[in-house]
Structures are given as structure tokens and as C-alpha cells.
Amino acid sequence: MLNENIKSIRKSKGLSQEELAIKLNVVRQTISKWEQGLSVPDADMLISISEVLETPVSTLLGETIAETRADDLRVISEKLEVINLQLAHGKAARLKAVHWFLVSLCAVIVAIFAVIIGFNSPYLGWDYSHPETAVVGVVFHAFEWLFIRIAPFVLLGAVVGACFTRKKV
């Protein structure tokens, strides 16, 4: 079993007996004897072989290579499935957060429009001879001017975005 495992793992790694022998600091004939089952490596050499072949010692000693690969594929596929589920949950959570952000943005824009319409620009009747009142009035006027021109486009985009994200939530 050990001899077959050493040989099959060495070949799967694309190593010749000579290359493996050089990495282990032994002669090629030693590798040949191990692979033919004429001798076995000692414990220290077995650890060195597992390090060079990047394979667990347990695999070298008895687990068949095909079983390990099948188990590895199963474990990897299970891990990938868990990762895919986590990514899907994360994407759904982000989509839901974007949806509610867009809905909130729509509500805020509508509320600001209602406030502007309800107060009917009260700062226009202010006394602008006082510097504080003049500055506040200009700031309110600039906000209202920008808001009235930009908010409809933002509201339209937010409504469309909320509709698109709602379908996927």
C-alpha cells in the first residue's frame, strides 16, 4: 500500500524518481526500492516524503488516493455550497438595505416637498436688513431652489430603483 501510494502521488505531482530522490537527499535506487515494496522508509523519512509530496502521512500509509480525492471533492463542494449560501444571503441583505434606503429617500423627498408647499416660502417676507436674517434667508432660498430642480429626478430614480429592488427582495 505504501509503495503504491508513494508511486502514484509522485507521478501525480509530475516528479521522476530522480527528482524525488534529490529532494529527499537519497539515491534514485532508494526511491525505486520503496515503490517496488522491497524496502520501506523510516519514520523521519516518511515525514520528509509527506512534506515533499505535500500529502499527509496517513494518506501515504493507507488511505487510497481515489478515496481521498473523492472525500476532498465532497468537502470542497460542501464548503463551496456554504460560501455560495453566505454570498446569496449577503446579496439579499444588501438588496433589501438598498430597497429600504430608496423607499426612505422617497419618503424624505415627499416630506420636504410637503413642508416647502405648506410654508409657502415664509422667508421671502423676512426683513433682510439684519445680516443673520439675510444669511438664513439666502440659505433657505438656495436650498429650495436646488431642491425643486434636483429632487424630482432623484425621486423618479428612487421610485424606479425601489420598484426594481422590490421584485428581488
Side-chain angles (χ1 to χ4, degrees):
M1 189 71 97
L2 174 63
N3 58 335
E4 295 167 2
N5 289 342
I6 291 174
K7 185 176 185 176
S8 63
I9 294 171
R10 173 185 61 79
K11 286 184 176 183
S12 71
K13 299 288 182 180
L15 295 173
S16 66
Q17 286 183 344
E18 185 69 31
E19 292 169 331
L20 181 59
I22 291 171
K23 290 184 178 195
L24 294 172
N25 294 322
V26 296
V27 294
R28 185 201 56 78
Q29 288 79 4
T30 304
I31 304 295
S32 177
K33 286 182 181 180
W34 292 341
E35 290 181 356
Q36 292 176 11
L38 300 176
S39 68
V40 293
D42 63 5
D44 290 334
M45 185 55 69
L46 196 58
I47 293 171
S48 297
I49 294 169
S50 74
E51 289 172 356
V52 168
L53 296 178
E54 299 171 342
T55 305
V57 174
S58 61
T59 300
L60 290 173
L61 290 176
E63 289 183 16
T64 61
I65 306 306
E67 290 175 356
T68 303
R69 286 185 184 154
D71 288 343
D72 287 347
L73 288 176
R74 184 179 52 78
V75 169
I76 289 171
S77 67
E78 288 173 359
K79 288 181 181 178
L80 285 174
E81 184 178 349
V82 168
I83 290 170
N84 282 335
L85 286 173
Q86 290 172 344
L87 288 173
H89 288 304
K91 183 178 179 182
R94 284 190 302 275
L95 196 61
K96 189 174 183 179
V98 167
H99 173 75
W100 287 110
F101 170 76
L102 293 172
V103 169
S104 301
L105 183 62
C106 291
V108 167
I109 290 172
V110 168
I112 293 174
F113 267 121
V115 168
I116 289 174
I117 291 170
F119 284 122
N120 198 20
S121 301
Y123 58 85
L124 293 177
W126 288 354
D127 180 15
Y128 283 91
S129 61
H130 299 301
E132 294 86 14
T133 309
V135 170
V136 172
V138 168
V139 168
F140 278 152
H141 184 69
F143 170 76
E144 184 178 289
W145 186 85
L146 280 173
F147 185 80
I148 296 298
R149 281 153 182 78
I150 295 173
F153 297 109
V154 175
L155 180 63
L156 181 64
V159 167
V160 169
C163 290
F164 279 125
T165 57
R166 182 176 185 270
K167 293 177 183 176
K168 296 179 182 175
V169 170

